Amino acid sequence: MNTDKLIIGKKEFNSRFILGSGKFSLEMTKTVIENAEIEMATLALRRANNAGSENILNYIPKGITLLPNTSGARNAQEAVRIARLAREIGCGDFVKVEVIHDSKYLLPDNYETAKATEMLAKENFIVMPYMYPDLNAARDMVNAGAAAIMPLGAPIGSNKGLLTKDFIKILIDEISLPIIVDAGIGRPSQACEAMEMGCSAVMANTAVATAKNVALMARAFKLAIEAGRSAYLAGLGRVLDYKAEASSPLTDFLQD
Amino acid sequence: MQLRATNHMQYQDGMEKISSDIMDKVINGRKEYDYSIYTKKDVLNTLAKEFISVEDFKILLSPAAESFLNDMAHKAKLETMKHFGNSVCMFTPLYIANYCENYCVYCGFNCSNKINRAKLSYDEIEKEMKTISETGLREILILTGEAKKASSVEYIGEAVKIAKKYFSTIGLEIYPLNTDEYAFLQKCGADFVSVYQETYNTDKYEELHLRGPKRIYPYRINAQERAILGGMRGVAFGSLLGLDDFRKDAFAAGLHAYLIQQKYPHAEISFSFPRLRPFINIKEKRPNDVHETQLLQVMLAYRLFMPFAGITISTRERAGFRDNVIGMCATKISAGVSVGVGGHSEKEKGDEQFEISDPRSVKEVFDSITEKGLQPVFTDYVRV
Amino acid sequence: MKFNGKEILLEKDVILSEFLKTMGYDASVIAVEINYEIIPKAEYDKTLIHNSDTMEVVNFVGGG
């Protein structure tokens, strides 16, 4: 039995692969969730203009935790409004706070994100802020009541991988909440590396959605994330970088 | 008449109680620390890591790590270089009083010892400080015994104000205070506070601190947090190694500092490592004995666990030890030290707390730092 | 009234639940906001909408 659970809020997960559900056909969403044994998937909220059209909720198997995001929000107030609407649809208290008012690079606004996190946590949402991996801002998120921290690995949709690796490591070292890399992960090997480093989960979307064989790529991510997690738990073996001059004695002076 | 022992875990009147879970975490952490479970393999894996976690710190303090001192030293030296470059801060302590109302069974100042008690007048303080500043030093650590009546907060405040005329960095090693008292001394010009818990083992602490306000464990352990809340820039931690299980006490002091750093990321953290010297003529090795090997292991473990923290090396250690640990793990060294009351400008007025092993003058220590290719620093920081 | 950002004409006041049914919405998968106030699902049968209202109806779509 798997005893290594991911815990967010008070909920336990076996899967550490959070799926972003954008850019898939509805049918494919279902296939991907099944192939990758996904337990949590993000959703976005939009105006329902075509009343009769098919609803994505029909393609997400029961039991999957839905993580509505606040994409489209340009400030804290808008994020809060979107989160409240999402909760009203009736899919639980989880929310991924995403506040972007930079339409060129689509980088998250940490300050507004912290404000939204604080407001939503007070309303008993389980808040997972998406942020640029800045230690001080991450501490603000913790103080604001976040349930997990979602730092970006690289600009969203860029598939460039863990460009912010050193800063994410600092978050892992300093922040006691789950650290979930979100955005930028382009390959299973990068997801694996994030997990080896000690991230608690990885979120991916574009990398899966743009693969030639989407279902197979979803499976590949699942396996890579599990491999990385196992490696982290096993404790990485030594990579000796300080050893070069360690043969010279530094402790000869001791007199016991 | 039989004296009823004061409950050492209970605050007394006038002692400010802050809301903090740090004490419980430290006591539990110490209790749970079992250093016997670690192996050589654990040590090697830890040494290969970029960030040293609390778990890794436990490994580095374990007996298993003792045989990897040289590897630890190399890694520590790199970390010290990374964070402090070549600089080594120099300072001197000044005891302005040695009155003490505590009865700590191990201490030379304890209130039942018949030693010469003294307290410097403001003129004497000024004279001492002027003399010290003429050696070039710009950092001073003001010490008193722990007696609030004899050496009041106002008295210490005046001493700090005098120190401000001659020094750019002023530290205090005095009895624990309330937040508002720390704030007062900070306004007077002090920025750093050292309080040593001696031992973090609550039972042992009770046995060793028989009387006086120091007996109250929680008030002492929360002193650093109150100092920070009072506006102090930095706080120092330490335990008197050898009083109890030194590995556990070293771990507890490190964990204490770590938790404070997590809660107050802006606070500057430093450590000091006084030890009880093992009796020389005892043949069998006792596990609590802290020889130079164990002392160095503790210092190296702290450097690796908190690469950014200051580490002070005391004159209780001999020159040969001190000269070798600066640049490797220690970042601060005292010089021209007198541990009696006064003693810099004129003959000391009161007796000493302990004996020093490195009596070298400021100039001698300066030269020996330079000789090692390191850079002695008098002013590390300017107060604005 | 203003409905999802577009002007439409509401000739007389109607009950929200009926309005949604007429428009073809499945009430279980949407959320409704009238004049920037969220209307709880339980209130759909009691809420009257007017031509002066601003109304938003949202649902989930795929998104990262």
Side-chain angles (χ1 to χ4, degrees), chain A residues 174 243 248 250 253 255-256, chain B residues 70-71 74 262 293 318:
Chain A
E174 291 294 324
K243 198 85 180 183
S248 58
L250 279 181
F253 64 92
Q255 293 177 0
D256 283 344
Chain B
N70 201 44
D71 303 72
H74 277 275
Q262 292 268 306
T293 299
R318 65 188 172 87

Side-chain angles (χ1 to χ4, degrees), chain C:
Chain C
M1 71 180 297
K2 203 164 189 179
F3 177 77
N4 275 359
K6 279 185 216 131
E7 294 289 345
I8 60 167
L9 181 69
L10 196 67
E11 289 181 340
K12 59 179 171 66
D13 294 354
V14 268
I15 297 285
L16 176 57
S17 54
E18 277 166 25
F19 175 81
L20 293 173
K21 206 184 287 169
T22 319
M23 299 290 281
Y25 286 109
D26 170 358
S28 70
V29 297
I30 57 168
V32 177
E33 198 188 65
I34 295 174
N35 303 329
Y36 301 97
E37 293 276 342
I38 292 174
I39 310 298
K41 284 192 206 301
E43 309 269 303
Y44 287 2
D45 284 338
K46 299 179 221 162
T47 305
L48 208 55
I49 54 174
H50 320 282
N51 195 38
S52 56
D53 288 340
T54 298
M55 179 169 170
E56 296 280 348
V57 176
V58 297
N59 65 357
F60 283 132
V61 297

Side-chain angles (χ1 to χ4, degrees), chain B residues 74-88:
Chain B
H74 277 275
K75 191 172 164 78
K77 197 174 171 188
L78 283 180
E79 291 295 338
T80 305
M81 277 301 206
K82 237 191 269 175
H83 291 269
F84 297 87
N86 284 324
S87 63
V88 179

Side-chain angles (χ1 to χ4, degrees), chain A residues 139 166 169-170 173-174 235-243 245-251 253-256, chain B residues 44-45 47-48 50-51 69-71 73-74 77-78 261-262 265 291-293 296 318 320-321 324-325 328:
Chain A
R139 286 185 172 132
D166 285 356
K169 278 189 189 168
I170 291 172
D173 196 39
E174 291 294 324
L236 286 178
R238 292 175 289 144
V239 183
L240 302 181
D241 51 1
Y242 70 96
K243 198 85 180 183
E245 50 163 354
S247 51
S248 58
L250 279 181
T251 53
F253 64 92
L254 295 171
Q255 293 177 0
D256 283 344
Chain B
L44 287 169
N45 283 337
L47 283 171
E50 187 181 348
F51 294 109
L69 233 47
N70 201 44
D71 303 72
H74 277 275
K77 197 174 171 188
L78 283 180
Q261 203 275 331
Q262 292 268 306
H291 298 273
E292 285 192 356
T293 299
L296 181 66
R318 65 188 172 87
F321 185 88
N324 277 287
V325 295
M328 178 201 292

Side-chain angles (χ1 to χ4, degrees), chain B residues 9 20-30 221 259:
Chain B
M9 297 306 284
S20 174
D21 59 357
I22 289 181
M23 178 176 82
D24 291 343
K25 285 183 176 166
V26 172
I27 293 175
N28 286 336
R30 186 188 188 282
I221 202 175
L259 293 169

